[in-house]
C-alpha cells in the first residue's frame, strides 16, 4: 500500500480533497465513496482511455459505470464535443444524482467539468488528472469551459469537483514535452507566492525531469497547496486569484500569434513569465534566477519573433481599445506577485518592440 497525501480546498460546503499518491488508480484508493448516486460516467479520450480506463473502473465497483470517449486535442475543446457528452448522458438516462468523472489532461477536465456544470443544472464531478499541467493547475479550482473560434475558454462555468484524485504513476506515460510544459506552471507558483519552493525547484529540477517519484510528488503537492490557498481566498477571481495568471498575458499572446497548438501553453507561459519579470523591474539577479530555472526545465526563455503591433493586438491593446487599461501580474521580488494596471509602458514597448 502506498501512502497518500490529502490537501483540502476550503470552500465551505463546497470544500473538497485533493488526494495525491502512487497507485491510486490501481486500487489504493476507494473512489466509490465519492460517488453518491447509483451511476457514474467516465469521460476520457482516445489516448488516455486505452492507458488508464481499465485501471480506474474497478475502483468504482458497485456503481453503474459507463464511459464516454471524446477525440484528443485542444481543437476538440468545443461546444460540439460538450454536446456529444450531453447527448450521451441523455441517451443513457443519467439522472440528477449521476457523477461525471474526468480522466485525462486539462482538455478532458475542462469539457467534462463544463458538461457536469450544465447537465440538469449541475451534477457531481470528479477530476482524475493525468498530465502534470492538469495535476498542478487545471483540475483544482473549479474553472470549466470550452473554446470559441474567437478565443480560448470564452464559454464556461465555475463548477467545483467533489474530489481531485492524482495518481502520479500516470505521469510515466506522459510525453517529455508535456511534462516540461507542466513544469512551467510549477515554476509559476514558486515565482508568485513561495520563494522557498522556488529555491527547492532550483535544486531539484533535474530530479523532476528524471521523473523521480518523490520529487514529482513534492512538486505536485506544494503546487496544489498553493493553488488551493489562492482559490480558497478568491474562488471567482475577484482579486487575488488573478496572480495565477503570471506570465499569461504574454503567454496567451504568444499562443495566439503562433496559432494555438504550435507552442504548448506551458511553453508560452514560460517565455511570458521571463518577460513579465523583466517588465516588473525586479533586481536583475532575480530575473536571471527565473530565466535560469525556466531554461533548466528545457523551456523557452524568449518569445518567438512577433511584430510589436501583433503583440499589442493579441494582448487586446491595439488602437481600437487604447482606452482599456490592461492589467499585468508583476513581481516585487521573486516569490511575491501583485496585479496592477500601472506598469512601465516604455519598458513594455521595449520588450515587445525590440523583438519586432
Ligand atoms: N480550468 C483551469 O483552471 C485550467 C488551467 C490551466 C489550463 N487549462 C486548460 O487545460 C488545457 C491543457 O491541458 P493539458 O496541458 O493537460 O493538455 P491536454 O489535455 O491536451 O493533454 C496533453 C496531451 O497529453 C495526453 N495525455 C494526457 N494524459 C496522458 C498520460 N498520462 N500519458 C500520455 N498522454 C497523456 C492528452 O491526451 C493530450 O494528447 C487547456 O485547454 C487549458 O485551457 C485549464
Ligand atoms: Zn496556465
Amino acid at each position: 500500500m502506498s501512502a497518500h497525501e490529502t490537501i483540502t480546498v476550503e470552500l465551505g460546503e463546497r470544500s473538497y480533497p485533493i488526494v495525491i499518491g502512487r497507485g491510486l488508480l490501481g486500487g489504493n484508493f476507494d473512489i466509490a465513496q465519492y460517488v453518491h448516486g447509483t451511476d457514474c460516467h467516465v469521460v476520457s479520450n482516445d489516448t488516455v482511455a486505452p492507458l488508464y480506463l481499465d485501471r480506474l473502473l474497478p475502483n468504482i465497483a458497485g456503481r453503474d459505470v459507463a464511459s464516454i470517449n471524446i477525440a484528443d486535442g485542444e481543437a476538440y475543446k468545443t461546444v460540439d464535443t460538450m454536446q456529444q457528452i450531453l447527448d450521451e448522458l441523455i441517451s443513457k438516462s443519467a439522472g440528477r444524482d449521476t457523477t461525471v468523472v474526468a480522466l485525462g489532461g486539462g482538455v478532458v477536465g475542462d469539457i467534462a467539468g463544463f458538461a457536469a456544470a450544465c447537465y440538469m443544472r449541475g451534477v457531481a464531478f470528479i477530476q482524475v488528472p493525468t498530465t502534470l499541467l492538469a495535476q498542478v493547475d487545471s483540475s483544482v479550482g473549479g474553472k470549466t469551459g470550452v473554446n470559441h473560434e474567437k478565443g480560448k475558454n470564452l464559454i464556461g462555468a465555475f463548477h467545483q469537483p467533489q474530489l481531485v484524485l492524482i495518481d502520479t504513476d500516470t505521469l510515466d506515460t506522459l510525453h517529455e514535452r508535456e511534462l516540461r510544459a507542466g513544469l512551467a506552471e510549477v515554476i509559476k507558483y514558486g515565482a508568485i507566492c513561495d520563494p522557498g519552493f522556488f529555491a527547492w525547484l532550483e535544486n531539484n529540477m533535474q530530479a523532476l525531469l528524471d521523473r523521480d517519484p518523490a520529487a514529482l510528488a513534492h512538486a505536485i503537492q506544494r503546487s496544489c497547496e498553493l493553488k488551493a490557498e489562492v482559490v480558497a481566498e478568491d474562488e471567482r477571481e475577484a482579486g487575488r486569484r488573478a496572480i495565477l495568471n503570471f506570465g499569461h498575458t504574454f503567454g496567451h499572446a504568444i499562443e495566439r500569434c503562433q496559432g494555438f497548438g504550435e507552442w504548448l501553453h506551458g511553453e508560452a507561459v514560460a517565455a511570458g513569465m521571463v518577460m513579465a519579470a523583466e517588465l516588473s523591474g525586479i533586481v536583475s539577479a532575480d530575473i536571471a534566477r527565473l530565466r535560469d530555472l525556466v531554461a533548466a526545465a528545457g523551456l523557452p526563455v524568449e518569445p518567438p519573433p512577433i511584430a510589436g503591433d501583433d503583440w499589442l493586438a493579441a494582448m487586446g491593446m491595439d488602437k481600437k481599445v487604447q482606452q482599456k487599461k490592461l492589467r499585468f501580474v508583476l513581481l516585487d521580488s521573486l516569490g511575491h506577485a501583485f496585479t496592477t494596471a500601472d506598469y512601465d509602458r516604455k519598458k513594455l514597448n521595449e520588450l515587445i518592440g525590440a523583438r519586432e
Side-chain angles (χ1 to χ4, degrees):
M1 287 293 286
S2 72
H4 57 253
E5 294 290 337
T6 302
I7 297 159
T8 305
V9 185
E10 303 282 0
L11 290 168
E13 61 186 12
R14 278 171 287 104
S15 297
Y16 54 93
I18 305 167
V19 180
I20 305 166
R22 303 186 68 184
L24 297 180
L25 294 187
N28 282 343
F29 188 80
D30 175 23
I31 302 173
Q33 62 183 310
Y34 289 89
V35 178
H36 299 302
T38 52
D39 64 54
C40 163
H41 293 80
V42 182
V43 180
S44 192
N45 72 19
D46 298 333
T47 306
V48 180
L51 292 168
Y52 298 112
L53 189 59
D54 284 349
R55 224 185 266 191
L56 172 70
L57 292 182
N59 293 282
I60 329 175
R63 298 299 196 287
D64 191 2
V65 184
S67 61
I68 297 175
N69 193 54
I70 63 175
D72 184 6
E74 181 78 31
Y76 298 98
K77 194 175 133 179
T78 58
V79 169
D80 283 351
T81 306
M82 150 106 164
Q83 178 77 49
Q84 178 208 330
I85 297 171
L86 296 175
D87 287 346
E88 294 200 34
L89 289 171
I90 291 167
S91 75
K92 288 169 177 141
S93 306
R96 281 193 60 86
D97 62 349
T98 196
T99 299
V100 172
V101 179
L103 173 68
V107 169
V108 167
D110 277 14
I111 314 179
F114 188 37
C118 295
Y119 188 65
M120 297 205 170
R121 301 195 181 86
V123 295
F125 174 46
I126 290 175
Q127 288 268 21
V128 185
T130 61
T131 63
L132 182 60
L133 183 135
Q135 294 180 351
V136 300
D137 192 355
S138 63
S139 65
V140 175
K143 282 190 181 177
T144 72
V146 295
N147 301 329
H148 184 273
E149 59 183 25
K150 295 285 184 204
K152 274 191 69 166
N153 302 323
L154 288 183
I155 305 159
F158 283 96
H159 190 58
Q160 300 291 346
Q162 260 67 39
L163 164 71
V164 180
L165 187 70
I166 300 177
D167 183 342
T168 53
D169 286 348
T170 57
L171 298 178
D172 292 349
T173 53
L174 192 66
H175 286 153
E176 173 87 19
R177 193 175 166 198
E178 297 287 353
L179 185 82
R180 292 175 192 270
L183 287 171
E185 305 283 2
V186 174
I187 293 170
K188 178 188 78 179
Y189 293 114
I192 61 175
C193 55
D194 190 343
F197 184 45
F198 191 92
W200 182 89
L201 289 169
E202 291 177 309
N203 291 325
N204 291 277
M205 188 48 77
Q206 195 52 49
L208 292 168
L209 291 169
D210 293 342
R211 302 184 197 221
D212 174 81
L216 278 173
H218 178 73
I220 294 166
Q221 186 188 330
R222 190 69 195 125
S223 299
C224 287
E225 282 168 357
L226 292 166
K227 181 150 187 189
E229 273 170 31
V230 173
V231 168
E233 252 178 71
D234 176 23
E235 185 181 6
R236 294 194 167 228
E237 200 168 315
R240 184 169 161 77
R241 185 167 175 170
I243 64 166
L244 298 174
N245 297 326
F246 177 60
H248 282 59
T249 303
F250 293 117
H252 285 151
I254 294 170
E255 287 181 273
R256 182 168 296 189
C257 292
Q258 292 298 99
F260 285 108
E262 193 65 33
W263 277 45
L264 294 180
H265 175 72
E267 294 167 347
V269 167
M273 289 193 294
V274 176
M275 294 179 78
E278 285 171 0
L279 181 61
S280 303
I282 54 173
V283 295
S284 56
D286 277 357
I287 300 174
R289 281 180 69 191
L290 179 61
R291 186 184 288 111
D292 289 350
L293 185 56
V294 166
L299 289 160
V301 293
E302 295 268 341
I306 295 171
D309 284 350
D310 293 343
W311 272 115
L312 292 175
M315 294 192 294
M317 295 177 71
D318 56 356
K319 295 187 185 65
K320 281 171 284 178
V321 283
Q322 235 168 22
Q323 307 88 319
K324 189 175 130 192
K325 274 240 159 184
L326 200 67
R327 293 190 74 82
F328 275 94
V329 182
L330 300 182
L331 303 178
D332 40 32
S333 61
L334 258 187
H336 300 277
F338 62 100
T339 61
T340 181
D342 184 21
Y343 51 87
D344 185 342
R345 184 66 198 242
K346 188 162 162 279
K347 191 163 232 154
L348 175 68
N349 283 337
E350 273 168 33
L351 278 169
I352 59 178
R355 296 183 168 102
E356 255 178 278

